[in-house]
Amino acid sequence: MKLDLKSVDQIIGKYDGEDSWLVMILQDVQDKYNYLPECALGRVAESLKIPLSRVHSVATFYSSFSLAERGRHLIRVCDGTACHLRGFTHIKEEISRHLGISEGQTTKDKVFTLDVVACLGACALAPVMAVDGRCYGNMNAEKVRVVLDLYRREKRH
Ligand code: FES
């Protein structure tokens, strides 16, 4: 896919082309594309006049950055102790069945990406899943379907 890099140029311009803002620039690029496309990293390195290897080392250092293409909505399902004991496996299986993706995968229509994480900090509400950082607790199979359908419908507007 050929990307229009004008947005990357605008982001770099917003930070006056200062390489000290590299992390913020990468954050904004990821907000724009949902991940860090290789060609965008190249444009960042070129525009900031820094080695691509430096851009890569920052992009791979922070776990919040993704070099793999992701969907518009990031689902994180919790496999921490409390959630594991209270139904993580059923929740993850229901998400996988409903969307046709496994952990680390993105739906063909690029709407959802599924990640498994250690703890979302809402253990009292286990089992927990989050979509785009918003937590949903006391999950069961039916609630999974309702939440995912809400986000899927949102895409059509
Ligand atoms: S173990 Fe799942 S939110 Fe903490």
Side-chain angles (χ1 to χ4, degrees), residues 16 26 55 58 61 85 102 119 123 133 155:
D16 293 329
L26 293 181
V55 178
V58 171
F61 179 79
L85 293 174
S102 304
C119 179
C123 313
K155 178 217 162 203

Side-chain angles (χ1 to χ4, degrees), residues 78-84 117-128 135:
C78 178
D79 192 20
T81 306
C83 290
H84 189 86
V117 296
C119 179
L120 288 164
C123 313
L125 301 176
V128 177
C135 278

